[in-house]
Amino acid sequence: KAGVTQTPRYLIKTRGQQVTLSCSPISGHRSVSWYQQTPGQGLQFLFEYFSETQRNKGNFPGRFSGRQFSNSRSEMNVSTLELGDSALYLCASSPPAGRGTDTQYFGPGTRLTVL
Amino acid sequence: AQSVTQLDSQVPVFEEAPVELRCNYSSSVSVYLFWYVQYPNQGLQLLLKYLSGSTLVKGINGFEAEFNKSQTSFHLRKPSVHISDTAEYFCAVSDSAGGSYIPTFGRGTSLIVHP
């Protein structure tokens, strides 16, 4: 099976712009989660989608949004970019087997740099 | 909400020496514990996980971890490290309390193996 893929791998944007990142989960996985990884804050949970519905949400401002399509592919959008949004954005998919027991399968991430 | 503490941000060690990476979590009725590894420019991948049963869990690449409920710890060990083990290691915990089962990640420990 192909792994989790994320596009693009690298992005450079300027403050005030918006950006859309894409994630294709492993075939058959219906849960997709997004994380922001920075040296200072570590891995922070953004949101999780399951069957096109946002099921869980982390503590991020409304500028961060996402959606999931019927084929389980997911996108996240960041509007009005700030310098502090520079980070590695990781997508993870999982085959929901039971609450809390699921292994997450991560993509390689999208490195976003905001200038 | 769960919290995870990885006590060491960086652990330098010589090749073929043993290593222990420490992880403590906040107490909960029922927890599931994970260790993930992140190699440079890659996403995270699962090393091992504890769901129930034997408190000693064996994972990939010769790693193992021991669940200690009384000390709320889940330390990762390897008896003899290799240069290729140089990576970032993340401890994560999830539970079913409150209906949210999204894993909480620690800040990570950078394992640096010297020749």
Side-chain angles (χ1 to χ4, degrees):
Chain A
K1 272 186 182 178
V4 178
T5 58
Q6 292 187 245
T7 56
R9 291 293 310 275
Y10 301 92
L11 264 179
I12 299 176
K13 293 285 188 179
T14 56
R15 278 182 299 174
Q17 287 187 308
Q18 76 164 19
V19 67
T20 299
L21 313 181
S22 180
C23 171
S24 292
I26 291 172
S27 177
H29 288 192
R30 293 164 63 192
S31 169
V32 175
S33 298
W34 288 90
Y35 294 85
Q36 181 193 67
Q37 185 179 19
T38 59
Q41 300 295 322
L43 266 166
Q44 292 188 286
F45 171 71
L46 280 155
F47 27 66
E48 184 227 4
Y49 286 86
F50 181 81
S51 293
E52 302 178 65
T53 301
Q54 188 180 87
R55 192 162 64 170
N56 287 284
K57 187 177 188 305
N59 189 25
F60 276 80
R63 300 186 297 109
F64 292 82
S65 62
R67 59 177 175 169
Q68 187 180 34
F69 302 95
S70 58
N71 61 358
S72 293
R73 191 177 70 84
S74 177
E75 289 181 347
M76 69 163 281
N77 185 279
V78 187
S79 62
T80 319
L81 283 166
E82 301 177 358
L83 294 178
D85 297 333
S86 294
L88 181 67
Y89 289 88
L90 292 165
C91 166
S93 74
S94 64
R99 290 186 163 233
T101 62
D102 303 321
T103 296
Q104 300 218 302
Y105 296 82
F106 285 82
T110 294
R111 172 76 61 187
L112 172 64
T113 302
V114 182
L115 303 176
Chain B
Q2 280 285 352
S3 67
V4 179
T5 303
Q6 291 184 243
L7 295 161
D8 307 298
S9 59
Q10 208 173 77
V11 173
V13 64
F14 286 105
E15 195 173 18
E16 297 183 9
V19 71
E20 178 180 83
L21 306 183
R22 297 180 291 171
C23 172
N24 288 86
Y25 61 93
S26 57
S27 172
S28 179
V29 174
S30 174
V31 293
Y32 308 112
L33 297 153
F34 306 77
W35 275 100
Y36 286 84
V37 60
Q38 184 179 31
Y39 298 104
N41 298 316
Q42 295 185 30
L44 283 69
Q45 67 180 83
L46 182 73
L47 270 178
L48 49 81
K49 64 180 177 181
Y50 170 80
L51 303 182
S52 65
S54 173
T55 57
L56 183 64
V57 182
K58 294 192 183 296
I60 62 171
N61 300 341
F63 284 93
E64 63 181 33
E66 186 153 20
F67 169 55
N68 188 319
K69 188 173 182 178
S70 63
Q71 296 189 3
T72 60
S73 68
F74 190 55
H75 300 334
L76 181 71
R77 302 186 183 100
K78 186 170 182 177
S80 176
V81 295
H82 191 267
I83 294 284
S84 60
D85 292 324
T86 294
E88 193 83 13
Y89 291 79
F90 293 90
C91 179
V93 60
S94 65
D95 60 38
S96 58
S100 173
Y101 42 85
I102 296 299
T104 299
F105 285 82
R107 297 286 290 268
T109 296
S110 179
L111 176 63
I112 302 167
V113 182
H114 297 288

